[in-house]
């Protein structure tokens, strides 16, 4: 193992430990007391029902006086929580926090890799990862957000804990890794990186549609940036391959949601 690769591994391990220290209490939490503004109990109850009716309940009687289970929400967080609960023989409430905590840590570390891959600067990668972990510029630009958090908690962590925005923040965490993998895959013919980028893009969408919207905005920027640097026409083919793979991995549940949405529209008529 050469020195540079060893430094990258050490940096990743150190950042992982720092991220665990930052969000460690999340892994021990079941419910936040008197937190009526949080929506996380919705996702916990949904995952609890799924854990008891695997692999697919078909019908969810608790939403909208009953609706198709596919219509409610993208599957990653619900299935991830249910599988952790079943595998670890723990409560779905704790499993939910384990899921969002792991992805939060993954997101902080992936910021380091995105900046390192894009710029080649180890110092810049460290600074970016620490800034994302500890600083939220929106607290300075939008004063109302700063007033919302009396302890000036970084906004992503604050939204995760106070409002229970697990799917949003989890998708944002995976998004960074997806862009980093795409950056590597687009620069040259690297099948493993292309496959990883497609999987991570699909996982971003499977966590949350706001994450999918962000991916749709940022992915073309990455593609255009790489093309400006290498001026290789195959960049566009590799980008199309990543998109095709992500759509293919998402098709089985997106198609189901499409049919359910059509059925719901007819019902509303």
């Amino acid at each position: 193992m050469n020195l540079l690769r060893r430094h990258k591994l050490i940096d990743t391990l150190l950042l992982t430990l720092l991220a665990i220290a930052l969000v460690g209490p999340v892994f021990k939490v079941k419910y936040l007391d008197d937190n009526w503004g949080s929506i996380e109990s919705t996702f916990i109850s949904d995952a609890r029902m799924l854990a008891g009716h695997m692999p697919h309940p078909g019908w969810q009687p608790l939403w909208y006086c009953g609706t198709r289970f596919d219509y409610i929400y993208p599957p990653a967080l619900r299935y991830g929580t249910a599988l952790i609960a079943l595998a670890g023989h723990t409560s779905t409430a704790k499993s939910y926090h384990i899921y969002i905590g792991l992805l939060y840590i993954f997101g902080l570390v992936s910021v380091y890799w995105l900046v390192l891959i894009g710029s080649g600067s180890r110092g810049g990668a460290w600074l970016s990862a620490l800034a994302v972990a500890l600083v939220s510029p929106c607290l300075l630009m939008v004063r109302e957000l700063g007033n919302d958090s009396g302890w000036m908690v970084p906004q992503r962590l604050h939204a995760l804990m106070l409002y229970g925005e697990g799917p949003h923040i989890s998708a944002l965490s995976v998004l960074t890794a997806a862009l980093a993998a795409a950056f590597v895959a687009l620069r040259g013919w690297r099948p493993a990186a292309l496959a990883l980028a497609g999987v991570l893009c699909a996982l971003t969408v499977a966590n949350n549609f706001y994450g999918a919207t962000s991916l749709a905005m940022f992915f073309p920027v990455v593609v255009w940036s790489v093309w400006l640097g290498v001026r290789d026409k195959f960049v566009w083919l590799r980008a199309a391959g990543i998109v095709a793979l992500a759509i293919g991995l998402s098709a089985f549940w997106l198609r189901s949601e499409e049919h359910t949405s059509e059925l719901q529209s007819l019902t509303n008529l």
Side-chain angles (χ1 to χ4, degrees):
M1 182 184 296
N2 61 44
L3 185 61
L4 180 59
R5 186 176 299 177
R6 186 180 304 166
H7 284 165
K8 293 177 181 177
L9 178 60
I10 293 173
D11 289 350
T12 300
L13 292 175
L14 287 176
L15 277 171
T16 301
L17 292 175
L18 290 173
I20 291 174
L22 177 65
V23 301
V26 172
F27 295 105
K28 301 177 182 179
V29 170
K30 289 186 178 180
Y31 299 99
L32 297 177
D33 294 339
D34 301 324
N35 190 12
W36 293 102
S38 174
I39 195 176
E40 68 179 23
S41 59
T42 303
F43 307 119
I44 293 171
S45 63
D46 204 25
R48 181 180 293 117
M49 178 183 176
L50 178 59
H53 299 82
M54 291 285 267
H56 193 293
W59 187 257
Q60 168 59 282
L62 303 178
W63 284 63
Y64 308 119
C65 296
T67 187
R68 277 275 304 273
F69 189 80
D70 297 324
Y71 179 70
I72 301 171
Y73 220 81
L77 181 137
R78 298 182 294 163
Y79 274 89
T81 300
L83 290 174
I84 291 173
L86 292 173
H89 302 287
T90 184
S91 68
T92 48
K94 190 172 183 179
S95 299
Y96 167 82
H97 288 100
I98 291 173
Y99 181 89
I100 62 174
L102 288 174
L103 284 189
Y104 195 92
I105 293 170
F106 178 70
L108 295 181
V109 175
S110 66
V111 170
Y112 166 86
W113 279 99
L114 176 62
V115 177
L116 184 66
I117 291 168
S119 68
S121 171
R122 185 183 176 196
W126 262 103
L127 181 61
S128 299
L130 292 175
V132 170
L134 302 174
V135 180
S136 291
C138 60
L139 298 179
L140 296 176
M141 297 188 301
V142 184
R143 301 302 302 179
E144 289 76 9
L145 292 176
N147 295 333
D148 188 43
S149 174
W151 298 95
M152 296 295 286
V153 176
Q155 188 61 23
R156 289 203 301 176
L157 185 58
H158 179 63
L160 187 69
M161 298 309 299
L162 183 63
Y163 299 113
E165 297 292 352
H168 296 66
I169 305 303
S170 296
L172 184 62
S173 298
V174 180
L175 170 64
T176 314
L179 297 177
F183 213 104
V184 175
L186 293 169
R187 283 176 166 176
W189 174 238
R190 297 180 177 88
L194 191 147
L196 179 61
V199 170
L200 290 172
C201 287
L203 183 57
T204 301
V205 178
N207 270 287
N208 181 256
F209 285 133
Y210 289 109
T213 303
S214 300
L215 177 64
M217 295 169 61
F218 287 120
F219 185 77
V221 175
V222 172
V223 176
W224 181 252
S225 300
V226 172
W227 183 81
L228 288 176
V230 300
R231 298 287 177 157
D232 180 2
K233 62 182 180 181
F234 289 105
V235 168
W236 305 104
L237 292 177
R238 296 179 196 120
I242 294 172
V243 172
L245 179 58
I247 292 175
L249 292 172
S250 304
F252 73 97
W253 66 267
L254 277 175
R255 187 64 179 170
S256 178
E257 288 219 358
E258 177 185 336
H259 284 315
T260 310
S261 298
E262 293 173 357
L263 178 62
Q264 186 74 10
S265 299
L266 291 173
T267 304
N268 291 337
L269 292 176

